[in-house]
Amino acid sequence: MDTFDFLMHGFSIASTPKNLLIALIGAFLGTIVGMLPGLGPINGVAILLPFAFALGLPPESALILLSAVYLGCEYGGRISAILINVPGDAGAIMTTLDGYPLAKQGKAGIALSLSAVASFIGATIATIGVVLFAPLLAKWAISFGPSEYFVLMVFAITCLSGLVGDQPVKTGIAALIGLGLATVGVDAVTGIYRYTFDSVNLSDGIQFTTIVIGFFSVSEILIMLEKTTTGHKVIQQGKRSLLNFREFTFSLGAMLRSGLMGFVVGILPGAGATIASAMTYASERKIAGDTGTFGDGDLRGVASPEAANNASACGSFVPMLTLGVPGSGTTAVMMGALTLYNITPGPQLFTEQPDIVWGLIASLFICNVILLVMNIPLVGLFAKLLDVPNYVLLPAIAAVSFVGVYSIHSTTFDLVFMVALGVFGYFLRKLNFPLSALILGYVLGELMESNLRRALSISQGDLSILWSSPITIALWMLAILMVFLPIIRSIYRKRSKKIAV
């Protein structure tokens, strides 16, 4: 059997009434979980994993359920990011940069429908890539060692210089704050307490939920309260809730480019949707140049990260299926599902368990269609949330935020700390520090540290390992280019103004 025959066999498995119902339920639950700030796909899959096993589902049906939840969470994360400026998970951080400004312009429905279409296109590109290039790309991904991953994350952070226009210094400071917050807690290697100030509550570090809800949700509540003192409504729903053909064609190039880049990043084990969305957003902003309105409500600023994070999610299945290495935290949980069935993922899986592999791959196509068909009609319903009066909306946002944070450790310390971070985030926003850079620094901080330690352990402390391979050299060159690009751009603009005068 060739690849096409295997794929058709997979569709015969994934399209049975039972598996279609499972995919529909998983996609719906994933969308709901993705809407809730701080939960994300890892928690969604982890919650449903024991249910899948307890219900006695066969392995292919269990994986279809979990993959549907995974993709549904990636779709759902954009909803809160666009409507209330609170990303559902780390992969939706970039979506807030232009999604929320569009909502404030009365284009929430347009942004939501565009993000659904972009998610579908990005995921479809990546799924086709899984079918065509999985073995080849898996061999390339394995060439990335700890030093390559460290430099890749440095490059991802330097890409932030393209996110905020002419404020590279503030971007760098915000990213450093995020990296600093990632070091709080007990050092996993030495057991030393770092920046805990003798507080037991900080020994486990600062949870992502506390960080993202504090900096985004609480600070946004303060900003909204500040603006509503004038008696005006902060956000209004626009007259149109779906994008038109002109807006689709305007953003199509960004979707296709970001889908491809997101897939390539997704096959790198551990890279994830956060890096993919940051890199593609920066890339699209560079391509747009002075003609773009990135940061103020550019449609491409929604299309590119949404296409990238969904493409990355699908791409993360490549190393899981072909190498037995999780491509993301969520696929690591899904590998746990395979072990429950005494199945070992790896190169032999394609020959020993073709029903599981190709049934899963075919279900990715089906789940994306289900999610698109499900999300487009609901755009108007989601957008109507903006018609809720602020005296109802703000307490509701606050209640969801407090419940979400309290559910992690069930301590009042987390609530107080969340509010403190929110106040700090409020002042950072007033001073025009990009919170997206801070959150990205926090998300990548632990990964950067662990990969740096592994690299130095391999080289016995020799720093040259960080620039000893062609991949690291290329990434360092790109990172340096990103650092100096704002300076070059500023000089170019000044010369252009002189010539114009």
Side-chain angles (χ1 to χ4, degrees):
M1 294 176 69
D2 58 17
T3 300
F4 180 77
D5 292 331
F6 277 119
L7 183 60
M8 290 300 101
H9 178 63
F11 271 111
S12 69
I13 296 171
S15 60
T16 62
K18 176 184 175 181
N19 285 336
L20 285 176
L21 179 61
I22 288 173
L24 178 62
I25 294 172
F28 177 76
L29 293 177
T31 302
I32 299 301
V33 171
M35 288 176 58
L36 302 176
L39 285 182
I42 295 180
N43 290 312
V45 171
I47 291 170
L48 285 177
L49 176 56
F51 286 98
F53 189 70
L55 290 172
L57 296 177
E60 59 271 16
S61 297
L63 279 182
I64 288 172
L65 172 64
L66 298 180
S67 62
V69 172
Y70 186 9
L71 297 183
C73 286
E74 295 294 342
Y75 271 74
R78 84 208 192 277
I79 298 171
S80 57
I82 292 171
L83 295 181
I84 59 176
N85 200 33
V86 180
D89 67 330
I93 291 172
M94 296 298 109
T95 307
T96 62
L97 298 180
D98 285 277
Y100 188 63
L102 283 169
K104 291 196 292 186
Q105 298 169 19
K107 299 178 180 178
I110 297 172
L112 287 169
S113 58
L114 175 63
S115 65
V117 173
S119 298
F120 173 78
I121 290 176
T124 301
I125 290 173
T127 308
I128 294 172
V130 172
V131 174
L132 298 178
F133 306 114
L136 175 65
L137 293 173
K139 293 179 182 178
W140 177 71
I142 203 172
S143 65
F144 270 65
S147 56
E148 284 80 8
Y149 277 115
F150 172 76
V151 184
L152 174 66
M153 292 167 195
V154 172
F155 170 62
I157 290 179
T158 58
C159 281
L160 289 169
S161 62
L163 303 182
V164 290
D166 298 322
Q167 301 186 81
V169 175
K170 289 185 176 180
T171 305
I173 293 173
L176 289 175
I177 293 173
L179 289 172
L181 291 173
T183 63
V184 175
V186 179
D187 188 333
V189 177
T190 63
I192 296 174
Y193 285 78
R194 303 186 299 187
Y195 310 113
T196 59
F197 303 100
D198 296 326
S199 173
V200 177
N201 296 289
L202 291 175
S203 60
D204 289 336
I206 306 172
Q207 300 296 318
F208 173 76
T209 304
T210 306
I211 290 280
V212 73
I213 291 181
F215 278 113
F216 281 91
S217 183
V218 175
S219 67
E220 184 60 34
I221 289 172
L222 295 175
I223 292 288
M224 293 175 74
L225 285 174
E226 180 186 43
K227 292 181 178 179
T228 52
T229 55
T230 59
H232 296 292
K233 188 175 179 61
V234 179
I235 302 176
Q236 294 181 348
Q237 180 188 352
K239 297 179 180 179
R240 187 158 51 91
S241 60
L242 294 176
L243 77 161
N244 56 34
F245 183 73
R246 184 184 62 81
E247 292 161 341
F248 170 75
T249 54
F250 176 72
S251 308
L252 182 59
M255 298 181 207
L256 297 175
R257 288 187 294 268
S258 300
L260 289 170
M261 187 182 296
F263 171 60
V264 173
V265 174
I267 66 170
L268 301 174
T274 308
I275 295 178
S277 59
M279 291 174 62
T280 54
Y281 186 97
S283 174
E284 289 304 317
R285 180 161 187 159
K286 295 290 190 302
I287 292 173
D290 295 334
T291 63
T293 56
F294 281 72
D296 297 319
D298 195 301
L299 293 175
R300 293 165 294 184
V302 173
S304 58
E306 284 303 306
N309 60 37
N310 283 271
S312 175
C314 292
S316 66
F317 285 99
V318 172
M320 184 191 85
L321 294 173
T322 58
L323 299 176
V325 177
S328 65
T330 309
T331 51
V333 178
M334 294 180 69
M335 284 182 63
L338 289 173
T339 59
L340 289 175
Y341 291 95
N342 295 319
I343 297 172
T344 303
Q348 300 302 317
L349 192 63
F350 278 79
T351 55
E352 295 177 356
Q353 302 283 351
D355 289 357
I356 293 176
V357 173
W358 292 103
L360 172 61
I361 293 174
S363 73
L364 297 179
F365 286 104
I366 294 173
C367 289
N368 277 301
V369 174
I370 290 174
L371 284 163
L372 181 67
V373 173
M374 180 189 300
N375 276 263
I376 291 296
L378 292 177
V379 163
L381 177 62
F382 293 143
K384 282 188 180 296
L385 294 174
L386 299 178
D387 287 336
V388 177
N390 287 326
Y391 62 80
V392 176
L393 181 62
L394 293 182
I397 295 173
V400 172
S401 300
F402 275 74
V403 170
V405 170
Y406 188 76
S407 64
I408 302 298
H409 286 150
S410 301
T411 64
T412 54
F413 174 85
D414 288 342
L415 299 179
V416 174
F417 192 60
M418 174 194 71
V419 173
L421 291 177
V423 173
F424 180 43
Y426 167 78
F427 286 109
L428 288 178
R429 292 177 66 171
K430 298 295 287 185
L431 295 172
N432 295 320
F433 281 85
L435 294 185
S436 57
L438 187 152
I439 300 297
L440 189 65
Y442 169 80
V443 170
L444 298 181
E446 183 178 353
L447 294 171
M448 288 182 67
E449 182 182 14
S450 62
N451 280 289
L452 177 61
R453 273 183 159 157
R454 289 171 56 201
L456 294 179
S457 176
I458 292 171
S459 67
Q460 297 182 346
D462 186 1
L463 288 173
S464 64
I465 192 174
L466 299 179
W467 53 82
S468 60
S469 70
I471 296 176
T472 54
I473 293 172
L475 288 172
W476 277 120
M477 292 176 65
L478 290 172
I480 293 171
L481 176 64
M482 286 295 178
V483 170
F484 286 99
L485 199 59
I487 301 174
I488 297 171
R489 186 169 54 194
S490 177
I491 295 173
Y492 175 76
R493 286 178 178 174
K494 289 180 180 179
R495 289 184 176 179
S496 297
K497 288 180 180 179
K498 289 182 179 179
I499 294 173
V501 173

